[in-house]
Amino acid sequence: MAVNAIDVDPYTSLSDEDCEARILAAKEKLGERLVILGHHYQRDEVFRHADFSGDSLKLSRQAADSKAEYIVFCGVHFMAEVADILSRPDQISILPDLSAGCSMADMANLAKVERAWQELSQVLDPDQQVTPVTYINSAADLKAFCGRHGGIVCTSTNARHVLEWSFSRREKVLFFPDQHLGRNTGYNMDIPLEDMVVWDFDLPMGGLTKQQILDAKMILWKGFCSVHQMFDVSHIERFKEKYPDAKIISHPEASFEVCQASDFVGSTEYIIRTVHDSEAGTRWLVGTELNLVNRLHDECKAEGKSVHFMSPTVCMCSTMFRIDPQHLLWVLENLVEGNPVNRISVPVEEAAMARSALQRMLDISP
Ligand code: 13P
Ligand code: SF4
């Protein structure tokens, strides 16, 4: 924390209403020196203050293009890291609450990925035969690993383009940390399920035989999103019984079975666009995070559409939820005083390697 920074404690007892006017006042004072980026999973009280909203790809581009001195990222840790990596060295990336991580990103770490690479080298020559692909939901050191080993980053929007690029260079892909995005995308590219094996990072050789590794086209890290794994085909079946004409739309972090039972699959931005673009009277069942679905429901009511959440239980991303108006206000009022708190700063060499893997992704993305 910067010297003389204002302490967070008094902010935690403020009501959301108290925060609202003060956030607006701080934004006004900071003017063009500040940009607030907000992911679609953010709660309304925070989301409404975002200058730009979007999915991971769109927000990465916003961060790369921004001229603002301060980039306050209302999202999770890996997003603020990407903002730091893609912005100029004199820009400052800030995450209002440092505990806003991503449980899926935490399922892969550098030690385990390096061990996997080393174990694969007992069977084949990974630097010649395997492209490492990391989902953007991962720590900066894993993006740097991909940069060092001729690999690349992907998001839910461009995973197919990234896999096509990867297979045009090397015969296999090691995909981490989300097995579902890897499997759903690979299957849509006509890769049979039996050619996609799961690497169990807790087992020697990922729990695979030498032959399984040699035969595989994609090696999928055994990671998943705890929010999207709550969705089940039985939810879709029950809904379809009640509303046979309903349309089903899901995020590709949902399971293979859920995505196969869906009419549309895509990123958060794609989901919002597709539902908005549908005809009046359309009924939707949506398999992604609750804050997004609730907002879409409210927006679409006026358009004569009904939007339903896929799971009977509450599936909020609890780490996205940690960004609250109180923390947003705290970082903004500190910025007004010239104290950047909660800065996210990726070490220079790691950032350079991670940037090369991110840049490859940006160069080939539609
Ligand atoms: P999007 O890039 O589709 O917004 O997804 C980010 C994410 O974390 C979904 O869980
Ligand atoms: Fe991570 Fe899942 Fe939350 Fe997305 S919804 S940020 S993948 S935990």
PDB file of all heavy atoms in Angstrom, residues 39 41 54-57 78-79 135 137 155-156 225 228 251 253 267-269 320, ligand 1:
ATOM      1  N   HIS A  39     -16.416  -6.498 -15.831  1.00  0.00           N
ATOM      2  CA  HIS A  39     -16.834  -7.763 -16.453  1.00  0.00           C
ATOM      3  C   HIS A  39     -18.338  -7.964 -16.250  1.00  0.00           C
ATOM      4  O   HIS A  39     -18.919  -7.473 -15.269  1.00  0.00           O
ATOM      5  CB  HIS A  39     -16.050  -8.949 -15.860  1.00  0.00           C
ATOM      6  CG  HIS A  39     -16.336 -10.226 -16.590  1.00  0.00           C
ATOM      7  ND1 HIS A  39     -17.276 -11.126 -16.140  1.00  0.00           N
ATOM      8  CD2 HIS A  39     -15.858 -10.723 -17.755  1.00  0.00           C
ATOM      9  CE1 HIS A  39     -17.338 -12.142 -17.008  1.00  0.00           C
ATOM     10  NE2 HIS A  39     -16.492 -11.912 -17.999  1.00  0.00           N
ATOM     11  N   TYR A  41     -20.011 -10.291 -15.108  1.00  0.00           N
ATOM     12  CA  TYR A  41     -20.449 -10.986 -13.894  1.00  0.00           C
ATOM     13  C   TYR A  41     -20.488 -10.064 -12.674  1.00  0.00           C
ATOM     14  O   TYR A  41     -20.810 -10.510 -11.568  1.00  0.00           O
ATOM     15  CB  TYR A  41     -19.516 -12.154 -13.571  1.00  0.00           C
ATOM     16  CG  TYR A  41     -19.557 -13.313 -14.543  1.00  0.00           C
ATOM     17  CD1 TYR A  41     -18.561 -14.291 -14.513  1.00  0.00           C
ATOM     18  CD2 TYR A  41     -20.578 -13.457 -15.465  1.00  0.00           C
ATOM     19  CE1 TYR A  41     -18.577 -15.369 -15.385  1.00  0.00           C
ATOM     20  CE2 TYR A  41     -20.595 -14.527 -16.351  1.00  0.00           C
ATOM     21  CZ  TYR A  41     -19.592 -15.477 -16.305  1.00  0.00           C
ATOM     22  OH  TYR A  41     -19.601 -16.534 -17.161  1.00  0.00           O
ATOM     23  N   GLY A  54     -17.649  -5.906 -20.792  1.00  0.00           N
ATOM     24  CA  GLY A  54     -17.411  -6.880 -21.850  1.00  0.00           C
ATOM     25  C   GLY A  54     -16.983  -8.224 -21.318  1.00  0.00           C
ATOM     26  O   GLY A  54     -16.945  -8.455 -20.096  1.00  0.00           O
ATOM     27  N   ASP A  55     -16.657  -9.117 -22.272  1.00  0.00           N
ATOM     28  CA  ASP A  55     -16.074 -10.415 -21.902  1.00  0.00           C
ATOM     29  C   ASP A  55     -14.555 -10.238 -21.793  1.00  0.00           C
ATOM     30  O   ASP A  55     -14.030  -9.125 -21.973  1.00  0.00           O
ATOM     31  CB  ASP A  55     -16.490 -11.507 -22.906  1.00  0.00           C
ATOM     32  CG  ASP A  55     -16.018 -11.232 -24.330  1.00  0.00           C
ATOM     33  OD1 ASP A  55     -15.167 -10.337 -24.534  1.00  0.00           O
ATOM     34  OD2 ASP A  55     -16.498 -11.923 -25.246  1.00  0.00           O
ATOM     35  N   SER A  56     -13.851 -11.335 -21.564  1.00  0.00           N
ATOM     36  CA  SER A  56     -12.410 -11.209 -21.306  1.00  0.00           C
ATOM     37  C   SER A  56     -11.657 -10.643 -22.517  1.00  0.00           C
ATOM     38  O   SER A  56     -10.730  -9.849 -22.350  1.00  0.00           O
ATOM     39  CB  SER A  56     -11.809 -12.571 -20.967  1.00  0.00           C
ATOM     40  OG  SER A  56     -12.535 -13.162 -19.942  1.00  0.00           O
ATOM     41  N   LEU A  57     -12.050 -11.040 -23.717  1.00  0.00           N
ATOM     42  CA  LEU A  57     -11.339 -10.560 -24.905  1.00  0.00           C
ATOM     43  C   LEU A  57     -11.575  -9.063 -25.102  1.00  0.00           C
ATOM     44  O   LEU A  57     -10.628  -8.291 -25.305  1.00  0.00           O
ATOM     45  CB  LEU A  57     -11.790 -11.351 -26.149  1.00  0.00           C
ATOM     46  CG  LEU A  57     -11.092 -10.927 -27.448  1.00  0.00           C
ATOM     47  CD1 LEU A  57      -9.599 -11.226 -27.395  1.00  0.00           C
ATOM     48  CD2 LEU A  57     -11.713 -11.615 -28.664  1.00  0.00           C
ATOM     49  N   PHE A  78      -6.820 -12.327 -12.623  1.00  0.00           N
ATOM     50  CA  PHE A  78      -6.112 -12.539 -13.894  1.00  0.00           C
ATOM     51  C   PHE A  78      -6.453 -11.433 -14.905  1.00  0.00           C
ATOM     52  O   PHE A  78      -5.640 -11.105 -15.771  1.00  0.00           O
ATOM     53  CB  PHE A  78      -6.391 -13.940 -14.468  1.00  0.00           C
ATOM     54  CG  PHE A  78      -7.774 -14.144 -15.035  1.00  0.00           C
ATOM     55  CD1 PHE A  78      -8.099 -13.748 -16.324  1.00  0.00           C
ATOM     56  CD2 PHE A  78      -8.761 -14.760 -14.273  1.00  0.00           C
ATOM     57  CE1 PHE A  78      -9.372 -13.944 -16.848  1.00  0.00           C
ATOM     58  CE2 PHE A  78     -10.037 -14.966 -14.783  1.00  0.00           C
ATOM     59  CZ  PHE A  78     -10.340 -14.546 -16.078  1.00  0.00           C
ATOM     60  N   MET A  79      -7.638 -10.845 -14.804  1.00  0.00           N
ATOM     61  CA  MET A  79      -8.047  -9.786 -15.731  1.00  0.00           C
ATOM     62  C   MET A  79      -7.214  -8.522 -15.481  1.00  0.00           C
ATOM     63  O   MET A  79      -6.766  -7.865 -16.430  1.00  0.00           O
ATOM     64  CB  MET A  79      -9.537  -9.483 -15.569  1.00  0.00           C
ATOM     65  CG  MET A  79     -10.426 -10.665 -15.934  1.00  0.00           C
ATOM     66  SD  MET A  79     -12.174 -10.304 -15.704  1.00  0.00           S
ATOM     67  CE  MET A  79     -12.893 -11.830 -16.313  1.00  0.00           C
ATOM     68  N   TYR A 135      -5.992 -20.898 -21.245  1.00  0.00           N
ATOM     69  CA  TYR A 135      -7.186 -20.050 -21.174  1.00  0.00           C
ATOM     70  C   TYR A 135      -6.754 -18.780 -20.454  1.00  0.00           C
ATOM     71  O   TYR A 135      -5.920 -18.832 -19.535  1.00  0.00           O
ATOM     72  CB  TYR A 135      -8.252 -20.828 -20.393  1.00  0.00           C
ATOM     73  CG  TYR A 135      -9.634 -20.241 -20.349  1.00  0.00           C
ATOM     74  CD1 TYR A 135     -10.103 -19.337 -21.299  1.00  0.00           C
ATOM     75  CD2 TYR A 135     -10.526 -20.643 -19.350  1.00  0.00           C
ATOM     76  CE1 TYR A 135     -11.389 -18.832 -21.241  1.00  0.00           C
ATOM     77  CE2 TYR A 135     -11.819 -20.148 -19.285  1.00  0.00           C
ATOM     78  CZ  TYR A 135     -12.239 -19.230 -20.233  1.00  0.00           C
ATOM     79  OH  TYR A 135     -13.514 -18.734 -20.177  1.00  0.00           O
ATOM     80  N   ASN A 137      -8.093 -17.300 -18.246  1.00  0.00           N
ATOM     81  CA  ASN A 137      -8.333 -17.499 -16.811  1.00  0.00           C
ATOM     82  C   ASN A 137      -7.164 -18.287 -16.219  1.00  0.00           C
ATOM     83  O   ASN A 137      -7.258 -19.476 -15.925  1.00  0.00           O
ATOM     84  CB  ASN A 137      -9.622 -18.295 -16.580  1.00  0.00           C
ATOM     85  CG  ASN A 137     -10.863 -17.598 -17.082  1.00  0.00           C
ATOM     86  OD1 ASN A 137     -10.817 -16.945 -18.120  1.00  0.00           O
ATOM     87  ND2 ASN A 137     -11.968 -17.743 -16.377  1.00  0.00           N
ATOM     88  N   THR A 155      -9.383 -17.068 -25.245  1.00  0.00           N
ATOM     89  CA  THR A 155     -10.556 -16.732 -24.433  1.00  0.00           C
ATOM     90  C   THR A 155     -11.713 -17.590 -24.944  1.00  0.00           C
ATOM     91  O   THR A 155     -11.577 -18.322 -25.933  1.00  0.00           O
ATOM     92  CB  THR A 155     -10.946 -15.234 -24.545  1.00  0.00           C
ATOM     93  OG1 THR A 155     -11.552 -15.027 -25.820  1.00  0.00           O
ATOM     94  CG2 THR A 155      -9.767 -14.309 -24.382  1.00  0.00           C
ATOM     95  N   SER A 156     -12.871 -17.439 -24.307  1.00  0.00           N
ATOM     96  CA  SER A 156     -14.023 -18.234 -24.749  1.00  0.00           C
ATOM     97  C   SER A 156     -14.481 -17.785 -26.145  1.00  0.00           C
ATOM     98  O   SER A 156     -15.147 -18.530 -26.847  1.00  0.00           O
ATOM     99  CB  SER A 156     -15.169 -18.070 -23.742  1.00  0.00           C
ATOM    100  OG  SER A 156     -15.459 -16.710 -23.560  1.00  0.00           O
ATOM    101  N   CYS A 225     -14.689 -24.783 -13.862  1.00  0.00           N
ATOM    102  CA  CYS A 225     -15.254 -23.641 -13.138  1.00  0.00           C
ATOM    103  C   CYS A 225     -16.336 -24.149 -12.203  1.00  0.00           C
ATOM    104  O   CYS A 225     -17.289 -24.812 -12.647  1.00  0.00           O
ATOM    105  CB  CYS A 225     -15.832 -22.629 -14.125  1.00  0.00           C
ATOM    106  SG  CYS A 225     -16.887 -21.422 -13.295  1.00  0.00           S
ATOM    107  N   HIS A 228     -19.917 -22.937 -13.319  1.00  0.00           N
ATOM    108  CA  HIS A 228     -20.530 -23.547 -14.504  1.00  0.00           C
ATOM    109  C   HIS A 228     -20.750 -25.051 -14.366  1.00  0.00           C
ATOM    110  O   HIS A 228     -21.537 -25.628 -15.114  1.00  0.00           O
ATOM    111  CB  HIS A 228     -19.698 -23.217 -15.747  1.00  0.00           C
ATOM    112  CG  HIS A 228     -19.824 -21.771 -16.142  1.00  0.00           C
ATOM    113  ND1 HIS A 228     -19.073 -20.781 -15.551  1.00  0.00           N
ATOM    114  CD2 HIS A 228     -20.660 -21.155 -17.009  1.00  0.00           C
ATOM    115  CE1 HIS A 228     -19.424 -19.612 -16.062  1.00  0.00           C
ATOM    116  NE2 HIS A 228     -20.387 -19.804 -16.950  1.00  0.00           N
ATOM    117  N   HIS A 251     -22.523 -21.004 -21.617  1.00  0.00           N
ATOM    118  CA  HIS A 251     -21.109 -20.630 -21.735  1.00  0.00           C
ATOM    119  C   HIS A 251     -20.293 -21.907 -21.939  1.00  0.00           C
ATOM    120  O   HIS A 251     -20.615 -22.952 -21.352  1.00  0.00           O
ATOM    121  CB  HIS A 251     -20.676 -19.912 -20.439  1.00  0.00           C
ATOM    122  CG  HIS A 251     -19.379 -19.194 -20.579  1.00  0.00           C
ATOM    123  ND1 HIS A 251     -18.162 -19.833 -20.457  1.00  0.00           N
ATOM    124  CD2 HIS A 251     -19.098 -17.893 -20.854  1.00  0.00           C
ATOM    125  CE1 HIS A 251     -17.188 -18.947 -20.636  1.00  0.00           C
ATOM    126  NE2 HIS A 251     -17.731 -17.762 -20.880  1.00  0.00           N
ATOM    127  N   GLU A 253     -17.704 -22.959 -20.654  1.00  0.00           N
ATOM    128  CA  GLU A 253     -17.126 -23.550 -19.436  1.00  0.00           C
ATOM    129  C   GLU A 253     -18.092 -24.577 -18.841  1.00  0.00           C
ATOM    130  O   GLU A 253     -17.725 -25.290 -17.898  1.00  0.00           O
ATOM    131  CB  GLU A 253     -16.851 -22.468 -18.389  1.00  0.00           C
ATOM    132  CG  GLU A 253     -15.660 -21.604 -18.723  1.00  0.00           C
ATOM    133  CD  GLU A 253     -15.509 -20.442 -17.763  1.00  0.00           C
ATOM    134  OE1 GLU A 253     -16.122 -20.451 -16.686  1.00  0.00           O
ATOM    135  OE2 GLU A 253     -14.769 -19.506 -18.103  1.00  0.00           O
ATOM    136  N   SER A 267     -19.280 -16.976 -25.457  1.00  0.00           N
ATOM    137  CA  SER A 267     -18.777 -16.133 -24.364  1.00  0.00           C
ATOM    138  C   SER A 267     -19.909 -15.313 -23.737  1.00  0.00           C
ATOM    139  O   SER A 267     -21.026 -15.254 -24.272  1.00  0.00           O
ATOM    140  CB  SER A 267     -17.725 -15.165 -24.915  1.00  0.00           C
ATOM    141  OG  SER A 267     -18.366 -14.099 -25.593  1.00  0.00           O
ATOM    142  N   THR A 268     -19.594 -14.640 -22.664  1.00  0.00           N
ATOM    143  CA  THR A 268     -20.606 -13.809 -21.999  1.00  0.00           C
ATOM    144  C   THR A 268     -21.135 -12.724 -22.948  1.00  0.00           C
ATOM    145  O   THR A 268     -22.332 -12.471 -23.005  1.00  0.00           O
ATOM    146  CB  THR A 268     -20.019 -13.160 -20.732  1.00  0.00           C
ATOM    147  OG1 THR A 268     -18.828 -12.448 -21.078  1.00  0.00           O
ATOM    148  CG2 THR A 268     -19.690 -14.202 -19.689  1.00  0.00           C
ATOM    149  N   GLU A 269     -20.222 -12.129 -23.700  1.00  0.00           N
ATOM    150  CA  GLU A 269     -20.635 -11.071 -24.643  1.00  0.00           C
ATOM    151  C   GLU A 269     -21.549 -11.672 -25.723  1.00  0.00           C
ATOM    152  O   GLU A 269     -22.559 -11.078 -26.097  1.00  0.00           O
ATOM    153  CB  GLU A 269     -19.361 -10.477 -25.282  1.00  0.00           C
ATOM    154  CG  GLU A 269     -19.595  -9.296 -26.184  1.00  0.00           C
ATOM    155  CD  GLU A 269     -19.824  -7.995 -25.412  1.00  0.00           C
ATOM    156  OE1 GLU A 269     -19.554  -7.920 -24.202  1.00  0.00           O
ATOM    157  OE2 GLU A 269     -20.304  -7.049 -26.066  1.00  0.00           O
ATOM    158  N   MET A 320     -15.910 -12.893  -8.056  1.00  0.00           N
ATOM    159  CA  MET A 320     -16.336 -11.650  -8.743  1.00  0.00           C
ATOM    160  C   MET A 320     -17.125 -10.772  -7.767  1.00  0.00           C
ATOM    161  O   MET A 320     -17.041  -9.542  -7.801  1.00  0.00           O
ATOM    162  CB  MET A 320     -17.247 -11.996  -9.930  1.00  0.00           C
ATOM    163  CG  MET A 320     -16.542 -12.571 -11.122  1.00  0.00           C
ATOM    164  SD  MET A 320     -15.967 -11.251 -12.199  1.00  0.00           S
ATOM    165  CE  MET A 320     -15.258 -12.206 -13.536  1.00  0.00           C
TER     166      MET A 320
HETATM  167  P1  13P B   1     -15.916 -14.503 -20.818  1.00  0.00           P
HETATM  168  O1  13P B   1     -14.591 -14.195 -21.445  1.00  0.00           O
HETATM  169  O2  13P B   1     -16.830 -15.269 -21.725  1.00  0.00           O
HETATM  170  O3  13P B   1     -16.545 -13.264 -20.280  1.00  0.00           O
HETATM  171  O4  13P B   1     -15.671 -15.495 -19.603  1.00  0.00           O
HETATM  172  C1  13P B   1     -14.926 -15.154 -18.486  1.00  0.00           C
HETATM  173  C2  13P B   1     -15.224 -16.036 -17.349  1.00  0.00           C
HETATM  174  O5  13P B   1     -14.539 -16.061 -16.365  1.00  0.00           O
HETATM  175  C3  13P B   1     -16.355 -16.910 -17.460  1.00  0.00           C
HETATM  176  O6  13P B   1     -16.478 -17.664 -16.308  1.00  0.00           O
END
